[in-house]
Amino acid sequence: MTKYIFFDNDGVLVDTEKHFFKATQIVLNKNGMEFTREKFIELTLIGNEGGWRIARDRGIAEEKIEEMRIERNILYASMLEQEQLVIDGVAETLYLLAGKYKMAIVTSSKKHHFD
């Protein structure tokens, strides 16, 4: 029997979620909206809605939200380049599984963030 393992990228292989939160927080706070870690967990990790829900609830136009999203994505990309992101033990685990399983990475990240 062929066995496959699919790994989510963010939060499983690489520690990027803290940067995604921080970049979103900076942009929302700069625009007068409080975005806490608790709100990030509620809206993004549990609710799958994202921080832009706060802006929509305040009646902010979609064009402005898109501008904030672009700003966040640029800031986030910059943060990703600043440090090693691989979670401890990942390389060793992948090495142990190599040849025994077919493996793939799945992500909803933008390609340039994934790269």
Side-chain angles (χ1 to χ4, degrees), residues 95-112:
Y95 177 78
L96 291 171
L97 296 172
K100 298 177 182 130
Y101 299 91
K102 292 185 179 186
M103 297 181 282
I105 300 172
V106 295
T107 186
S108 61
S109 291
K110 296 190 176 303
K111 184 175 180 347
H112 64 279

Side-chain angles (χ1 to χ4, degrees), residues 1 11 17 21 23 27 35 38 40 48 53 59 66 69 78-79 82 91 93-94 97 99 113:
M1 175 191 307
E17 290 177 355
F21 160 68
V27 171
F35 191 56
E38 293 74 22
F40 171 72
N48 200 30
R53 160 105 182 272
E66 184 58 26
R69 182 180 285 116
S78 173
M79 290 175 169
Q82 300 303 313
T93 300
L94 295 176
L97 296 172
H113 293 157

